[in-house]
Amino acid sequence: MSRSRNSSKIKKIVCVILSFILSLFLFVLSIGVVLEATIFNSDFILENMNSSNYFVDKKDEITRKLNDLGYASGLDDEFFENLLDEIMLTEDNQEYLNDYYDGKSALIDTTRFKQTFNDALDKYIEEHNIKNVDSASRDYLVNKASSIYRLSLEIPLFYRIAGYFKALKNIFPFILAGVAVIIFIIILIFVFSNKWKHRAFRYVSHASLGACLSLAVIPAYVLLTGQLQRINLTSRGLYNLFVQCGTNIMIAVLFCALFFLVVGLCCVFQHNHLKKKVSSD
């Protein structure tokens, strides 16, 4: 009888430990799924760029910098008013992000901008009847303007981590699959190691509610205290993009927490239902 009780206690301790481990793996899987749907998804970044008016802000930002360059070159302010369009900014950014997510150079291609700038210069020279144009000065102006365009659109540190990001992105689904397999195995252990099946629901409910709590704490703190808005970024467009992406990621994590809350409560209900049924039998 004593040996049986000791064996039961050991089994209970093991199940409690496994329940804790399951909670950790549920947390890791949830964060992984959120990252796969957000940070590792170029469409997510593009959608947030559009909804946060990123291209409008970037157009204004680049135009101001080009105006400063124009003062030194003797160009009128009107020259830069219609130089940029949001379609070009969007397409160049999309190509830039695609290269980044493919592990390529992650540099803004300025070919289209240079062509647009040169065409505008030709028109300006013709309209103002400028006869003598120094080719070296013109090349310097075009290259300086394209450098402003490129640096304004490139996201900091992207070019440094592009290769590592691609490697992590390729292996990430396999990591998530491995975590999912471990979760499935632990649940099977709960099911087949307990004679009374309601106990399996109890341990799964503990793990689910634990995952819910761990997932909810950080996003709730970040959103309620406005931590995202405190980041210091000089670019308004990049700031708005960061805040919106961060907010959407936090909300996605909270939805995962809500999902595990529902799963946990369902398991609690099922545990109580099966326990009453066993007691009545």
Side-chain angles (χ1 to χ4, degrees):
M1 178 70 86
S2 178
R3 182 179 298 177
S4 177
R5 287 181 179 178
N6 289 336
S7 176
S8 178
K9 288 181 180 179
I10 292 173
K11 183 187 293 185
K12 184 176 181 180
I13 293 173
V14 170
C15 286
V16 170
I17 294 174
L18 285 176
S19 180
F20 175 74
I21 294 174
L22 177 60
S23 177
L24 292 179
F25 276 104
L26 290 174
F27 174 83
V28 171
L29 181 65
S30 299
I31 297 298
V33 170
V34 169
L35 291 178
E36 186 71 22
T38 56
I39 299 300
F40 291 117
N41 182 7
S42 61
D43 290 338
F44 170 79
I45 305 297
L46 282 171
E47 287 173 4
N48 280 275
M49 281 180 170
N50 287 317
S51 57
S52 65
N53 292 322
Y54 177 81
F55 300 115
V56 175
D57 292 335
K58 277 298 177 181
K59 179 183 176 181
D60 294 339
E61 178 184 325
I62 296 171
T63 300
R64 285 195 301 270
K65 292 179 180 179
L66 291 176
N67 274 326
D68 293 338
L69 177 65
Y71 293 145
S73 304
L75 295 173
D76 298 336
D77 290 344
E78 291 78 10
F79 175 81
F80 298 101
E81 283 184 359
N82 299 314
L83 180 66
L84 300 176
D85 63 83
E86 294 173 26
I87 295 177
M88 181 173 68
L89 291 174
T90 302
E91 291 178 350
D92 285 344
N93 267 277
Q94 186 169 5
E95 184 178 349
Y96 168 64
L97 286 175
N98 289 337
D99 286 346
Y100 174 72
Y101 278 86
D102 288 337
K104 297 179 182 178
S105 60
L107 296 174
I108 292 291
D109 185 3
T110 60
T111 303
R112 189 177 342 190
F113 173 80
K114 285 184 176 181
Q115 183 62 50
T116 301
F117 196 84
N118 272 311
D119 291 343
L121 274 178
D122 290 336
K123 183 178 180 181
Y124 182 86
I125 291 170
E126 182 181 351
E127 289 177 350
H128 290 76
N129 197 26
I130 300 175
K131 301 298 183 181
N132 297 320
V133 178
D134 183 62
S135 59
S137 298
R138 175 171 177 155
D139 290 341
Y140 173 81
L141 175 63
V142 173
N143 289 331
K144 191 67 176 177
S146 65
S147 178
I148 290 173
Y149 181 78
R150 177 178 59 82
L151 292 175
S152 297
L153 291 183
E154 286 178 359
I155 299 177
L157 299 179
F158 258 32
Y159 74 98
R160 293 183 181 273
I161 63 174
Y164 302 104
F165 184 87
K166 176 63 175 176
L168 180 59
K169 185 175 181 294
N170 288 339
I171 198 175
F172 207 67
F174 297 100
I175 296 175
L176 293 182
V179 172
V181 169
I182 294 173
I183 290 172
F184 181 70
I185 291 174
I186 293 175
I187 293 175
L188 287 181
I189 292 174
F190 287 149
V191 172
F192 292 105
S193 65
N194 289 283
K195 179 181 178 182
W196 308 112
K197 300 309 176 188
H198 65 274
R199 293 177 181 174
F201 282 101
R202 179 176 63 186
Y203 295 124
V204 172
S205 70
H206 291 167
S208 298
L209 294 175
C212 168
L213 181 62
S214 59
L215 287 167
V217 170
I218 294 178
Y221 171 77
V222 170
L223 293 176
L224 291 175
T225 59
Q227 294 297 317
L228 292 173
Q229 286 77 8
R230 296 180 183 180
I231 188 171
N232 185 20
L233 292 173
T234 55
S235 170
R236 178 184 175 184
L238 196 59
Y239 171 83
N240 290 334
L241 175 64
F242 175 84
V243 171
Q244 180 152 318
C245 285
T247 300
N248 288 336
I249 290 172
M250 293 298 108
I251 291 174
V253 174
L254 286 177
F255 271 111
C256 290
L258 179 62
F259 170 78
F260 283 116
L261 175 63
V262 172
V263 172
L265 293 177
C266 289
C267 287
V268 169
F269 173 81
Q270 191 67 11
H271 167 265
N272 293 334
H273 174 72
L274 292 177
K275 187 176 180 180
K276 289 179 180 178
K277 187 176 180 180
V278 170
S279 300
S280 62
D281 291 341

PDB file of all heavy atoms in Angstrom, residues 75-93:
ATOM      1  N   LEU A  75      18.703  75.291 -57.041  1.00  0.00           N
ATOM      2  CA  LEU A  75      17.419  74.827 -57.581  1.00  0.00           C
ATOM      3  C   LEU A  75      16.266  75.451 -56.812  1.00  0.00           C
ATOM      4  O   LEU A  75      16.324  75.610 -55.593  1.00  0.00           O
ATOM      5  CB  LEU A  75      17.331  73.300 -57.505  1.00  0.00           C
ATOM      6  CG  LEU A  75      18.321  72.502 -58.359  1.00  0.00           C
ATOM      7  CD1 LEU A  75      18.210  71.014 -58.038  1.00  0.00           C
ATOM      8  CD2 LEU A  75      18.073  72.742 -59.840  1.00  0.00           C
ATOM      9  N   ASP A  76      15.187  75.761 -57.508  1.00  0.00           N
ATOM     10  CA  ASP A  76      13.990  76.307 -56.866  1.00  0.00           C
ATOM     11  C   ASP A  76      13.277  75.220 -56.057  1.00  0.00           C
ATOM     12  O   ASP A  76      13.390  74.025 -56.346  1.00  0.00           O
ATOM     13  CB  ASP A  76      13.023  76.872 -57.907  1.00  0.00           C
ATOM     14  CG  ASP A  76      13.638  78.026 -58.683  1.00  0.00           C
ATOM     15  OD1 ASP A  76      14.556  78.666 -58.141  1.00  0.00           O
ATOM     16  OD2 ASP A  76      13.205  78.258 -59.832  1.00  0.00           O
ATOM     17  N   ASP A  77      12.492  75.664 -55.058  1.00  0.00           N
ATOM     18  CA  ASP A  77      11.721  74.713 -54.246  1.00  0.00           C
ATOM     19  C   ASP A  77      10.719  73.938 -55.093  1.00  0.00           C
ATOM     20  O   ASP A  77      10.414  72.778 -54.820  1.00  0.00           O
ATOM     21  CB  ASP A  77      10.967  75.459 -53.141  1.00  0.00           C
ATOM     22  CG  ASP A  77      11.922  76.013 -52.084  1.00  0.00           C
ATOM     23  OD1 ASP A  77      13.090  75.572 -52.055  1.00  0.00           O
ATOM     24  OD2 ASP A  77      11.487  76.876 -51.302  1.00  0.00           O
ATOM     25  N   GLU A  78      10.212  74.607 -56.143  1.00  0.00           N
ATOM     26  CA  GLU A  78       9.203  73.961 -56.973  1.00  0.00           C
ATOM     27  C   GLU A  78       9.748  72.728 -57.687  1.00  0.00           C
ATOM     28  O   GLU A  78       8.982  71.833 -58.078  1.00  0.00           O
ATOM     29  CB  GLU A  78       8.677  74.946 -58.025  1.00  0.00           C
ATOM     30  CG  GLU A  78       7.838  76.081 -57.469  1.00  0.00           C
ATOM     31  CD  GLU A  78       8.681  77.185 -56.822  1.00  0.00           C
ATOM     32  OE1 GLU A  78       9.928  77.143 -56.980  1.00  0.00           O
ATOM     33  OE2 GLU A  78       8.097  78.066 -56.162  1.00  0.00           O
ATOM     34  N   PHE A  79      11.054  72.678 -57.849  1.00  0.00           N
ATOM     35  CA  PHE A  79      11.671  71.546 -58.539  1.00  0.00           C
ATOM     36  C   PHE A  79      11.377  70.228 -57.823  1.00  0.00           C
ATOM     37  O   PHE A  79      11.207  69.182 -58.448  1.00  0.00           O
ATOM     38  CB  PHE A  79      13.189  71.759 -58.631  1.00  0.00           C
ATOM     39  CG  PHE A  79      13.938  70.595 -59.221  1.00  0.00           C
ATOM     40  CD1 PHE A  79      13.999  70.402 -60.594  1.00  0.00           C
ATOM     41  CD2 PHE A  79      14.559  69.657 -58.404  1.00  0.00           C
ATOM     42  CE1 PHE A  79      14.683  69.323 -61.141  1.00  0.00           C
ATOM     43  CE2 PHE A  79      15.246  68.579 -58.936  1.00  0.00           C
ATOM     44  CZ  PHE A  79      15.307  68.411 -60.313  1.00  0.00           C
ATOM     45  N   PHE A  80      11.301  70.275 -56.494  1.00  0.00           N
ATOM     46  CA  PHE A  80      11.148  69.046 -55.713  1.00  0.00           C
ATOM     47  C   PHE A  80       9.698  68.736 -55.337  1.00  0.00           C
ATOM     48  O   PHE A  80       9.424  67.689 -54.748  1.00  0.00           O
ATOM     49  CB  PHE A  80      11.973  69.135 -54.417  1.00  0.00           C
ATOM     50  CG  PHE A  80      13.447  69.276 -54.650  1.00  0.00           C
ATOM     51  CD1 PHE A  80      14.067  70.515 -54.540  1.00  0.00           C
ATOM     52  CD2 PHE A  80      14.221  68.179 -54.988  1.00  0.00           C
ATOM     53  CE1 PHE A  80      15.434  70.650 -54.757  1.00  0.00           C
ATOM     54  CE2 PHE A  80      15.588  68.304 -55.197  1.00  0.00           C
ATOM     55  CZ  PHE A  80      16.192  69.549 -55.096  1.00  0.00           C
ATOM     56  N   GLU A  81       8.782  69.650 -55.647  1.00  0.00           N
ATOM     57  CA  GLU A  81       7.399  69.480 -55.195  1.00  0.00           C
ATOM     58  C   GLU A  81       6.763  68.203 -55.736  1.00  0.00           C
ATOM     59  O   GLU A  81       6.104  67.471 -55.009  1.00  0.00           O
ATOM     60  CB  GLU A  81       6.572  70.703 -55.595  1.00  0.00           C
ATOM     61  CG  GLU A  81       6.818  71.907 -54.717  1.00  0.00           C
ATOM     62  CD  GLU A  81       5.906  73.059 -55.078  1.00  0.00           C
ATOM     63  OE1 GLU A  81       5.107  72.904 -56.037  1.00  0.00           O
ATOM     64  OE2 GLU A  81       5.980  74.111 -54.409  1.00  0.00           O
ATOM     65  N   ASN A  82       6.929  67.957 -57.014  1.00  0.00           N
ATOM     66  CA  ASN A  82       6.308  66.780 -57.634  1.00  0.00           C
ATOM     67  C   ASN A  82       7.339  65.757 -58.092  1.00  0.00           C
ATOM     68  O   ASN A  82       7.053  64.923 -58.957  1.00  0.00           O
ATOM     69  CB  ASN A  82       5.449  67.225 -58.829  1.00  0.00           C
ATOM     70  CG  ASN A  82       4.336  68.163 -58.422  1.00  0.00           C
ATOM     71  OD1 ASN A  82       3.641  67.914 -57.442  1.00  0.00           O
ATOM     72  ND2 ASN A  82       4.170  69.246 -59.166  1.00  0.00           N
ATOM     73  N   LEU A  83       8.537  65.838 -57.528  1.00  0.00           N
ATOM     74  CA  LEU A  83       9.598  64.921 -57.941  1.00  0.00           C
ATOM     75  C   LEU A  83       9.299  63.493 -57.500  1.00  0.00           C
ATOM     76  O   LEU A  83       9.470  62.540 -58.263  1.00  0.00           O
ATOM     77  CB  LEU A  83      10.935  65.381 -57.355  1.00  0.00           C
ATOM     78  CG  LEU A  83      12.153  64.507 -57.696  1.00  0.00           C
ATOM     79  CD1 LEU A  83      12.454  64.570 -59.195  1.00  0.00           C
ATOM     80  CD2 LEU A  83      13.368  64.947 -56.886  1.00  0.00           C
ATOM     81  N   LEU A  84       8.837  63.348 -56.262  1.00  0.00           N
ATOM     82  CA  LEU A  84       8.574  62.013 -55.708  1.00  0.00           C
ATOM     83  C   LEU A  84       7.090  61.685 -55.799  1.00  0.00           C
ATOM     84  O   LEU A  84       6.243  62.566 -55.683  1.00  0.00           O
ATOM     85  CB  LEU A  84       9.024  61.950 -54.243  1.00  0.00           C
ATOM     86  CG  LEU A  84      10.500  62.207 -53.955  1.00  0.00           C
ATOM     87  CD1 LEU A  84      10.745  62.203 -52.456  1.00  0.00           C
ATOM     88  CD2 LEU A  84      11.375  61.166 -54.627  1.00  0.00           C
ATOM     89  N   ASP A  85       6.799  60.418 -55.982  1.00  0.00           N
ATOM     90  CA  ASP A  85       5.416  59.954 -55.884  1.00  0.00           C
ATOM     91  C   ASP A  85       5.388  58.690 -55.026  1.00  0.00           C
ATOM     92  O   ASP A  85       6.372  57.946 -54.955  1.00  0.00           O
ATOM     93  CB  ASP A  85       4.811  59.694 -57.264  1.00  0.00           C
ATOM     94  CG  ASP A  85       5.530  58.577 -58.010  1.00  0.00           C
ATOM     95  OD1 ASP A  85       5.216  57.405 -57.756  1.00  0.00           O
ATOM     96  OD2 ASP A  85       6.415  58.875 -58.838  1.00  0.00           O
ATOM     97  N   GLU A  86       4.258  58.494 -54.389  1.00  0.00           N
ATOM     98  CA  GLU A  86       4.148  57.390 -53.430  1.00  0.00           C
ATOM     99  C   GLU A  86       4.223  56.022 -54.105  1.00  0.00           C
ATOM    100  O   GLU A  86       4.613  55.036 -53.474  1.00  0.00           O
ATOM    101  CB  GLU A  86       2.845  57.519 -52.649  1.00  0.00           C
ATOM    102  CG  GLU A  86       2.813  58.748 -51.745  1.00  0.00           C
ATOM    103  CD  GLU A  86       1.461  58.970 -51.115  1.00  0.00           C
ATOM    104  OE1 GLU A  86       0.711  57.979 -50.961  1.00  0.00           O
ATOM    105  OE2 GLU A  86       1.143  60.128 -50.791  1.00  0.00           O
ATOM    106  N   ILE A  87       3.864  55.964 -55.390  1.00  0.00           N
ATOM    107  CA  ILE A  87       3.930  54.687 -56.110  1.00  0.00           C
ATOM    108  C   ILE A  87       5.382  54.228 -56.222  1.00  0.00           C
ATOM    109  O   ILE A  87       5.700  53.057 -55.976  1.00  0.00           O
ATOM    110  CB  ILE A  87       3.288  54.817 -57.506  1.00  0.00           C
ATOM    111  CG1 ILE A  87       1.797  55.112 -57.389  1.00  0.00           C
ATOM    112  CG2 ILE A  87       3.514  53.544 -58.314  1.00  0.00           C
ATOM    113  CD1 ILE A  87       1.110  55.329 -58.710  1.00  0.00           C
ATOM    114  N   MET A  88       6.285  55.157 -56.570  1.00  0.00           N
ATOM    115  CA  MET A  88       7.698  54.810 -56.666  1.00  0.00           C
ATOM    116  C   MET A  88       8.252  54.398 -55.306  1.00  0.00           C
ATOM    117  O   MET A  88       8.993  53.414 -55.196  1.00  0.00           O
ATOM    118  CB  MET A  88       8.499  55.993 -57.221  1.00  0.00           C
ATOM    119  CG  MET A  88       9.989  55.705 -57.385  1.00  0.00           C
ATOM    120  SD  MET A  88      10.877  57.042 -58.233  1.00  0.00           S
ATOM    121  CE  MET A  88      10.773  58.339 -56.977  1.00  0.00           C
ATOM    122  N   LEU A  89       7.878  55.126 -54.271  1.00  0.00           N
ATOM    123  CA  LEU A  89       8.331  54.786 -52.925  1.00  0.00           C
ATOM    124  C   LEU A  89       7.839  53.395 -52.527  1.00  0.00           C
ATOM    125  O   LEU A  89       8.590  52.595 -51.954  1.00  0.00           O
ATOM    126  CB  LEU A  89       7.822  55.825 -51.926  1.00  0.00           C
ATOM    127  CG  LEU A  89       8.415  57.224 -52.022  1.00  0.00           C
ATOM    128  CD1 LEU A  89       7.706  58.167 -51.073  1.00  0.00           C
ATOM    129  CD2 LEU A  89       9.901  57.205 -51.731  1.00  0.00           C
ATOM    130  N   THR A  90       6.571  53.111 -52.822  1.00  0.00           N
ATOM    131  CA  THR A  90       5.992  51.815 -52.464  1.00  0.00           C
ATOM    132  C   THR A  90       6.681  50.679 -53.203  1.00  0.00           C
ATOM    133  O   THR A  90       7.054  49.667 -52.596  1.00  0.00           O
ATOM    134  CB  THR A  90       4.488  51.799 -52.794  1.00  0.00           C
ATOM    135  OG1 THR A  90       3.835  52.857 -52.084  1.00  0.00           O
ATOM    136  CG2 THR A  90       3.867  50.469 -52.391  1.00  0.00           C
ATOM    137  N   GLU A  91       6.872  50.837 -54.495  1.00  0.00           N
ATOM    138  CA  GLU A  91       7.484  49.766 -55.290  1.00  0.00           C
ATOM    139  C   GLU A  91       8.943  49.546 -54.911  1.00  0.00           C
ATOM    140  O   GLU A  91       9.407  48.400 -54.834  1.00  0.00           O
ATOM    141  CB  GLU A  91       7.350  50.100 -56.775  1.00  0.00           C
ATOM    142  CG  GLU A  91       5.906  50.034 -57.277  1.00  0.00           C
ATOM    143  CD  GLU A  91       5.776  50.422 -58.732  1.00  0.00           C
ATOM    144  OE1 GLU A  91       6.765  50.935 -59.310  1.00  0.00           O
ATOM    145  OE2 GLU A  91       4.682  50.229 -59.308  1.00  0.00           O
ATOM    146  N   ASP A  92       9.685  50.629 -54.675  1.00  0.00           N
ATOM    147  CA  ASP A  92      11.083  50.479 -54.258  1.00  0.00           C
ATOM    148  C   ASP A  92      11.191  49.823 -52.887  1.00  0.00           C
ATOM    149  O   ASP A  92      12.090  49.009 -52.648  1.00  0.00           O
ATOM    150  CB  ASP A  92      11.784  51.844 -54.238  1.00  0.00           C
ATOM    151  CG  ASP A  92      12.097  52.341 -55.637  1.00  0.00           C
ATOM    152  OD1 ASP A  92      12.054  51.529 -56.582  1.00  0.00           O
ATOM    153  OD2 ASP A  92      12.394  53.553 -55.785  1.00  0.00           O
ATOM    154  N   ASN A  93      10.266  50.169 -51.985  1.00  0.00           N
ATOM    155  CA  ASN A  93      10.266  49.537 -50.663  1.00  0.00           C
ATOM    156  C   ASN A  93       9.887  48.070 -50.742  1.00  0.00           C
ATOM    157  O   ASN A  93      10.443  47.242 -50.020  1.00  0.00           O
ATOM    158  CB  ASN A  93       9.295  50.273 -49.727  1.00  0.00           C
ATOM    159  CG  ASN A  93       9.980  51.337 -48.913  1.00  0.00           C
ATOM    160  OD1 ASN A  93      10.571  51.065 -47.883  1.00  0.00           O
ATOM    161  ND2 ASN A  93       9.914  52.564 -49.403  1.00  0.00           N
TER     162      ASN A  93
END
